Amino acid sequence: MRHVADIPYPKVKITLLAWNGKYLLKLEQGPLEQTYKVAELDLSGVEAADVEIRQLLDDEFLTAVVARFEAMQHDLRAAFARHDLR
C-alpha cells in the first residue's frame, strides 16, 4: 500500500492511498473510519488521479461523511448502552 497524500480538512482526517489498482480514500474521525475505493480505471490516469479524487471531496460529499460519522457514533453509543458497557 502506497501513501499518496494527506488531504487537509478540519473535521476529518483524510488520507489517499494507492493499492492493487485502486485508490483508497480513508476518512477518520476519532475511533471511527470510512473507506471508499475508487478503481484506477474510473479516473483519467495516474497523473490526474490526485486532482480527480480531490474533486470528489466536494462540500456535499464531506457534509454527508460528517453526518455518517455522527450516525456511526450514535450507533456505537447505543450498542454500548444496550449491553451496559462503559
Side-chain angles (χ1 to χ4, degrees):
M1 191 170 303
R2 180 176 61 91
H3 179 271
V4 176
D6 290 316
I7 301 170
Y9 188 70
K11 297 179 181 179
V12 177
K13 178 182 178 191
I14 304 173
T15 307
L16 179 60
L17 305 161
W19 181 69
N20 202 22
K22 294 180 181 66
Y23 288 97
L24 280 68
L25 192 54
K26 181 175 159 183
L27 301 104
E28 299 172 85
Q29 188 181 67
L32 303 174
E33 180 178 304
Q34 297 176 47
T35 302
Y36 297 85
K37 296 177 184 177
V38 178
E40 287 179 358
L41 296 174
D42 290 340
L43 303 171
S44 298
V46 174
E47 302 81 29
D50 187 39
V51 171
E52 290 177 341
I53 291 289
R54 289 173 192 262
Q55 287 176 334
L56 294 175
L57 299 172
D58 61 13
D59 288 337
E60 186 175 344
F61 180 81
L62 290 171
T63 298
V65 164
V66 171
R68 193 167 297 108
F69 274 126
E70 291 168 359
M72 291 168 69
Q73 185 63 39
H74 176 267
D75 294 343
L76 184 60
R77 279 194 302 260
F80 270 91
R82 280 194 307 276
H83 298 285
D84 295 321
L85 300 172
R86 277 209 223 171

